[in-house]
Amino acid sequence: MKLEQTNRIIIKIGSALLFNETSGSLNKEWLNSLAEDVKYLRENDKEVIIVSSGAIAMGAKDLDLDMKNMKMDMNQAVSAVGQIHLMGSFKSAFEKNEIKISQILLTLDDTEQRRRSINARRTIDTLLKLGIVPVVNENDTIATSEIRYGDNDRLASRVAQITSADCLILLSNINGLYSADPSTDEDVKLINKVSEIDKDIEKMIGQSISDYGKGGMKTKIQAAKTAMLSGCHLAITNGSIMRPVKSLFEGRPCTWFEPTKTPLAARKQWIAGTMKPVGKIIIDDGAVDALKKGSSLLPAGVKSVEGNFERGDVIEVLSSDQNKIGIGLAGYAAEESIKIMGHKSDEIADILSYSYREEMIHKDDLVLI
Ligand code: GLU
């Protein structure tokens, strides 16, 4: 991808790049070179958003704790200490390059609820208009195991989706996606371009998880899926060099994921990017065929319902052999869905004594996967 083709770029920085793995101290020189990269992008009229990990690692270093064996309550507390150090480091590196930064801490619900996601986008847009670089992280201080993104790869892709960014760069300590595991297989090739995540790509995903970060290749591919459906290019590239973003646009080898040819409408992008659907609907084969032909999901095709969801919540649609078919907004709450499943739509009013609509999931609220 060429620099001229993009307007709004998100740079995601993994903890492994920010810290020296042996000493655990902040890699100041590298952070300064990243700030120079951001300056370069802005001189080329690009809007830049940063997603940075490192709160927990930095807090653990400051408090002299071993971050690997910490329980959730410690993670929450330690991140509260580390986040201010993290932002302090960004502030001083970016100020040297005459760039003002801001801090945005997101909780899963800030992007999972449509109204809140629009609000987050508005704030980010305003900051960018003011010429300020937003630096985003998960709000680890109040994140719990059920309510969290868990890794900043997927957080960054969700931020890309809600802000309509057209380029997301995952700076990591790997060069990109390889045809096989580079640590065990000598005959490996770096894949330069991916335009569809098919079974072959899924097979190539190793589980290389670095010591500091939470993500591995798996979360990067999930991030790529969200980005691709949102019309956003995504690069997985090795950031452990000076000026990593400039050299990426100068053609340094990496893996670029290309967006789907026909990006979904904004509302459907948001549905498809949902990180934690709250329920499941299992449908019969006839309904699977009907959905693939573009129909809505009617109660008649539903075999079972799982989870405790409300009307309007995001739920998954599965075939009877448990394959994920799609994701969409529930037309009825779980309790109502159980009562009307297997029935014709004109029976809904008799069964419930009211009827919101004919469909269990309307086609406008449904994204096939
Ligand atoms: N939000 C976490 C932190 O700042 C990092 C998550 C990740 O490494 O992906 O420490």
Side-chain angles (χ1 to χ4, degrees):
M1 177 173 200
K2 301 258 180 320
L3 187 57
E4 304 80 78
Q5 291 169 280
T6 134
N7 290 312
R8 185 171 280 193
I9 302 172
I10 301 197
I11 305 170
K12 183 260 167 180
I13 304 163
S15 306
L17 296 174
L18 278 175
F19 303 99
N20 180 305
E21 217 154 321
T22 27
S23 69
S25 54
L26 182 83
N27 210 336
K28 278 193 186 153
E29 211 190 329
W30 183 85
L31 189 55
N32 194 53
S33 110
L34 183 89
E36 284 167 8
D37 266 354
V38 173
K39 188 176 182 187
Y40 160 79
L41 294 174
R42 284 157 48 102
E43 282 164 1
N44 281 280
D45 296 326
K46 309 301 164 197
E47 291 177 323
V48 183
I49 301 167
I50 304 237
V51 174
S52 181
S53 309
I56 298 173
M58 222 152 176
K61 164 90 179 144
D62 189 60
L63 301 171
D64 209 12
L65 295 168
D66 179 7
M67 66 176 275
K68 277 181 206 150
N69 303 314
M70 280 188 320
K71 295 220 168 68
M72 194 188 69
D73 53 350
M74 282 299 276
N75 266 324
Q76 292 172 322
V78 166
S79 69
V81 174
Q83 182 66 26
I84 46 174
H85 290 288
L86 183 67
M87 293 310 288
S89 311
F90 268 91
K91 188 164 180 280
S92 71
F94 278 62
E95 259 171 14
K96 273 191 212 134
N97 291 281
E98 285 144 25
I99 304 170
K100 281 196 195 310
I101 60 155
S102 55
Q103 168 185 265
I104 307 248
L105 294 177
L106 291 178
T107 306
L108 188 67
D109 281 349
D110 294 329
T111 55
E112 298 295 270
Q113 292 179 16
R114 180 112 169 105
R115 195 188 289 249
R116 281 166 72 167
S117 77
I118 292 168
N119 188 26
R121 183 207 168 115
R122 210 174 290 139
T123 306
I124 291 175
D125 280 348
T126 308
L127 287 165
L128 291 169
K129 253 189 232 127
L130 291 169
I132 299 166
V133 172
V135 182
V136 184
N137 195 3
E138 172 153 21
N139 192 354
D140 294 307
T141 309
I142 51 161
T144 60
S145 44
E146 298 84 43
I147 311 165
R148 70 176 311 147
Y149 300 95
D151 66 86
N152 278 9
D153 294 323
R154 293 183 318 140
L155 166 65
S157 69
R158 194 61 160 147
V159 173
Q161 182 262 307
I162 65 165
T163 61
S164 312
D166 47 24
C167 180
L168 166 57
I169 302 167
L170 300 181
L171 290 182
S172 138
N173 51 3
I174 41 169
N175 294 329
L177 178 66
Y178 283 98
S179 54
D181 184 351
S183 62
T184 52
D185 202 325
E186 278 182 11
D187 194 23
V188 293
K189 272 198 308 259
L190 182 69
I191 315 282
N192 296 120
K193 201 160 82 175
V194 177
S195 35
E196 193 196 345
I197 299 181
D198 52 18
K199 293 261 168 340
D200 290 342
I201 298 290
E202 305 259 11
K203 253 194 259 155
M204 292 172 196
I205 306 166
Q207 285 292 329
S208 61
I209 300 180
S210 78
D211 280 344
Y212 281 105
K214 295 250 168 52
M217 194 46 94
K218 202 170 166 190
T219 59
K220 291 182 176 48
I221 299 292
Q222 285 170 347
K225 281 187 189 167
T226 303
M228 289 162 93
L229 282 172
S230 310
C232 178
H233 290 79
L234 177 140
I236 300 178
T237 184
N238 196 336
S240 51
I241 52 165
M242 293 297 155
R243 308 296 305 267
V245 180
K246 185 163 189 269
S247 73
L248 176 77
F249 284 112
E250 284 167 355
R252 189 163 47 84
C254 72
T255 305
W256 277 109
F257 292 78
E258 302 202 314
T260 43
K261 296 272 173 297
T262 43
L264 299 167
R267 190 173 135 82
K268 286 204 175 191
Q269 285 181 16
W270 175 79
I271 295 172
T274 302
M275 303 270 157
K276 298 236 161 96
V278 286
K280 286 180 187 167
I281 280 190
I282 322 301
I283 61 172
D284 64 25
D285 296 347
V288 173
D289 288 343
L291 295 195
K292 287 189 176 158
K293 285 188 192 127
S295 304
S296 296
L297 176 64
L298 302 178
V302 177
K303 292 177 72 174
S304 61
V305 174
E306 288 174 23
N308 185 15
F309 52 87
E310 294 298 324
R311 186 172 171 234
D313 280 348
V314 181
I315 55 171
E316 285 178 331
V317 181
L318 281 79
S319 62
S320 45
D321 50 2
Q322 294 291 316
N323 272 327
K324 202 161 136 188
I325 306 292
I327 183 162
L329 301 182
Y332 287 88
E335 225 175 292
E336 296 163 332
S337 303
I338 290 171
K339 290 185 188 151
I340 60 173
M341 68 185 187
H343 290 277
K344 292 214 174 72
S345 298
D346 55 16
E347 295 173 65
I348 297 176
D350 281 343
I351 300 169
L352 300 178
S353 353
Y354 53 85
S355 164
Y356 297 126
R357 60 197 320 180
E358 286 177 9
E359 306 85 8
M360 198 81 124
I361 303 180
H362 191 276
K363 60 182 180 195
D364 292 347
D365 298 337
L366 179 70
V367 182
L368 298 186
I369 298 179

